[in-house]
Amino acid sequence: GSVRNIENGPCLTVQQKIEIWAGPLADQSQAVLLLNRNSTNSEVITVKWTDLGWPTNQWALVRDLWAQRDIGTFYGSYTSPNIESHAVQMLKITLNH
């Protein structure tokens, strides 16, 4: 249910037809949607922890919600693999405490 908050939240990034949407989940993690609106090219998309209101110098676990698997632990930011034209990557990012 919490993910629907993304629709009401601010769009964090719009550049070169790339959008990053984020919204807080109940467990203090954030749902993050990486959207490639480019009609021709695949793109890599980077989300910085500061975009999510978190300190840069933190490790966080990144989980792919649709693949239902953890991608890994990242420091300061996460950069996606190539996201195809008009495709998305749906993530759950949780700070390591």
Side-chain angles (χ1 to χ4, degrees):
S2 304
V3 177
R4 273 179 304 191
N5 296 343
I6 291 176
E7 296 166 13
N8 305 326
C11 179
L12 301 180
T13 300
V14 178
Q15 62 180 34
Q16 300 140 10
K17 303 194 177 171
I18 288 168
E19 292 182 11
I20 299 172
W21 295 79
L25 298 170
D27 61 0
Q28 310 305 313
S29 64
Q30 294 212 42
V32 180
L33 184 72
L34 307 179
L35 172 61
N36 177 11
R37 296 184 57 213
N38 195 310
S39 57
T40 51
N41 300 328
S42 62
E43 300 278 357
V44 299
I45 302 177
T46 297
V47 57
K48 301 183 182 90
W49 297 172
T50 51
D51 292 338
L52 304 176
W54 293 340
T56 300
N57 61 340
Q58 297 281 325
W59 290 91
L61 176 66
V62 177
R63 181 172 180 82
D64 185 316
L65 290 178
W66 286 337
Q68 296 187 335
R69 64 182 181 85
D70 293 340
I71 299 170
T73 305
F74 296 83
Y75 187 79
S77 66
Y78 165 76
T79 299
S80 72
N82 269 332
I83 298 176
E84 297 302 314
S85 167
H86 295 298
V88 300
Q89 188 176 34
M90 184 79 197
L91 306 172
K92 177 180 176 180
I93 304 180
T94 310
L95 277 184
N96 288 4
H97 292 296

